[in-house]
Amino acid sequence: MQISMHNRFLKYIIIGICLIFSCKSFSQTAQTFEEIGRFLNDATLYSEKYITPATDGAVYQASAGWMTSPKKRKLYDVTLGLYGNVFFVPKRDRNFQISNSDFSFFTIENQTSVTVPTALGNDTQYYLVGQIDNNEVRMQTPKGVNQETVVYPYLQGSISLWKGFEVVGKYSTKVKLKRGDYQVYGFGLKHNFSQYFKSLEKKKINLAALLAFSKENISFDFIDTYTSYGNLGINRITGKVDTWQLQFSASKEWKKFELMASAISNRSDFKYMLTGERGQIEDVIPVQYILNEKLRDIYKTKYNYIAEISGRYQFSKIYVQTSLAFGKFVNTNISVQYEFN
């Protein structure tokens, strides 16, 4: 019911837009309405295929390195660390196929079928062409970041509390990518379980669970447009992801070295929106607003199951840690931490 009401609301907006051209006949207005509707459908289809691999990858990046160690720390121990995350872009997610049969509004200029980059792909471009009210709409397909790895730094800190609890927080500034940017921040709560099993503590075996929440924002340069109405204002697309993560970890200590294995499950809610500068066409048609309402149709929730292996070595109060997370994607993380106690 909510979706159908949403679609009817969009139709009323578009009908109102069409009525702006009051000199047209009813049949001309109906045709313009149909053309705008087909344009919106094609733009939504392309947006989803373009940005989805990047937002899926952002979840893996945000899931890494939350737990430095499952062992119980002393009350009010504080750990601060500088982290570097490296995400490996798989070849299968760097491009996708489009053909004229996929579209109801656009056609590919001088082609019937081409391979175009996702947000994680290369910089290959083609033109998509259509018409609204006999006026040409010409779009150049967006480029990808053209990187085999995506690297970003962030800060993470934790403070131990009573009964084996520990609060964790992470934050990255907005990191510039080629034709985009990425940011993640969040907080978590860890609890140590091996404290209840003295035999495990004697063997230097540690068990803990962590519940965390993070927000990932990722933006890319999107589509350059050429129309008789001016720029459409859809030159920037943003994915916003809210992720809840549950992690179970176990570790074994050998003097100054600790080896940890983790099982991670998370639930992510994905939202998409166009965030470019206001286009010239907005003086006539609120294209960006209409498309953002239409993009609600591709909001989604996804679940991921990730395995992570980590090694941590102590130099006095300084720790060096590396981790490898794998599942649908592969992500690595390296950090230098300082422990105040």
Side-chain angles (χ1 to χ4, degrees):
M1 171 65 78
Q2 186 175 5
I3 294 177
S4 63
M5 289 179 65
H6 164 67
N7 289 336
R8 286 201 300 272
F9 177 63
L10 281 179
K11 287 181 180 180
Y12 294 148
I13 292 176
I14 298 169
I15 289 171
I17 291 165
C18 294
L19 291 176
I20 291 173
F21 305 97
S22 57
C23 61
K24 297 178 183 178
S25 67
F26 178 79
S27 60
Q28 287 176 311
T29 301
Q31 181 179 346
T32 303
F33 164 72
E34 182 182 349
E35 290 167 346
I36 293 174
R38 288 191 278 114
F39 163 76
L40 293 174
N41 289 335
D42 286 359
T44 303
L45 169 72
Y46 199 102
S47 299
E48 181 176 18
K49 290 181 177 293
Y50 174 78
I51 198 171
T52 294
T55 50
D56 286 350
V59 172
Y60 267 67
Q61 296 177 67
S63 300
W66 271 101
M67 194 182 301
T68 56
S69 169
K71 67 182 178 182
K72 181 182 178 182
R73 292 194 171 97
K74 296 177 182 178
L75 184 63
Y76 300 135
D77 277 2
V78 174
T79 301
L80 294 177
L82 176 62
Y83 289 68
N85 196 84
V86 181
F87 174 74
F88 295 94
V89 180
K91 290 184 178 180
R92 68 175 183 273
D93 290 301
R94 295 179 193 174
N95 52 61
F96 62 99
Q97 194 86 12
I98 58 171
S99 62
N100 288 334
S101 60
D102 295 325
F103 300 123
S104 59
F105 176 81
F106 287 114
T107 57
I108 308 164
E109 189 173 65
N110 301 323
Q111 302 281 347
T112 58
S113 180
V114 293
T115 298
V116 292
T118 68
L120 298 176
N122 58 27
D123 54 6
T124 303
Q125 289 187 290
Y126 297 90
Y127 279 100
L128 304 177
V129 187
Q131 285 193 339
I132 296 178
D133 191 35
N134 294 320
N135 293 298
E136 185 180 66
V137 176
R138 194 163 182 259
M139 292 188 174
Q140 195 171 21
T141 57
K143 300 177 181 180
V145 295
N146 201 22
Q147 297 175 222
E148 294 185 359
T149 57
V150 176
V151 182
Y152 77 95
Y154 65 93
L155 297 173
Q156 183 167 305
S158 64
I159 180 170
S160 58
L161 303 176
W162 305 270
K163 307 293 184 180
F165 284 96
E166 189 173 329
V167 175
V168 186
K170 69 164 59 179
Y171 176 79
S172 79
T173 58
K174 188 175 288 187
V175 178
K176 289 293 183 182
L177 308 173
K178 290 182 181 179
R179 306 180 187 90
D181 53 62
Y182 175 77
Q183 184 177 31
V184 60
Y185 51 93
F187 62 91
L189 182 66
K190 171 194 136 184
H191 184 64
N192 171 272
F193 290 108
S194 50
Q195 63 180 312
Y196 306 119
F197 305 94
K198 298 303 180 183
S199 59
L200 294 179
E201 288 189 323
K202 288 180 182 179
K203 296 177 181 178
K204 297 290 184 178
I205 295 175
N206 308 293
L207 303 174
L210 176 138
L211 179 65
F213 174 77
S214 63
K215 297 183 77 70
E216 304 97 56
N217 298 326
I218 186 165
S219 298
F220 296 96
D221 296 337
F222 196 41
I223 294 177
D224 291 327
T225 53
Y226 304 91
T227 78
S228 60
Y229 299 113
N231 187 280
L232 298 186
I234 57 175
N235 59 334
R236 191 81 168 172
I237 189 168
T238 297
K240 293 182 177 290
V241 189
D242 291 348
T243 298
W244 284 98
Q245 174 168 317
L246 182 62
Q247 177 173 340
F248 294 96
S249 299
S251 75
K252 168 67 177 175
E253 296 176 82
W254 292 275
K255 295 184 178 179
K256 295 185 177 183
F257 178 73
E258 183 178 12
L259 181 65
M260 179 174 66
S262 302
I264 299 169
S265 64
N266 56 40
R267 177 187 186 273
S268 299
D269 295 318
F270 296 80
K271 296 180 180 180
Y272 308 97
M273 59 201 67
L274 295 160
T275 55
E277 294 181 1
R278 184 180 185 273
Q280 295 164 304
I281 199 173
E282 296 289 326
D283 294 332
V284 180
I285 304 172
V287 168
Q288 188 180 99
Y289 172 79
I290 296 172
L291 271 173
N292 279 335
E293 290 298 305
K294 184 68 176 172
L295 285 174
R296 290 177 178 270
D297 294 342
I298 63 171
Y299 286 8
K300 59 178 70 73
T301 297
K302 291 185 178 180
Y303 296 85
N304 282 287
Y305 303 95
I306 305 168
E308 185 177 61
I309 298 174
S310 174
R312 190 173 189 242
Y313 192 84
Q314 180 181 7
F315 300 91
S316 184
K317 291 189 175 184
I318 296 175
Y319 294 80
V320 176
Q321 186 168 17
T322 60
S323 66
L324 176 68
F326 51 92
K328 180 181 178 182
F329 302 104
V330 176
N331 189 85
T332 63
N333 194 284
I334 184 168
S335 62
V336 177
Q337 306 148 13
Y338 187 85
E339 200 164 277
F340 301 85
N341 49 31

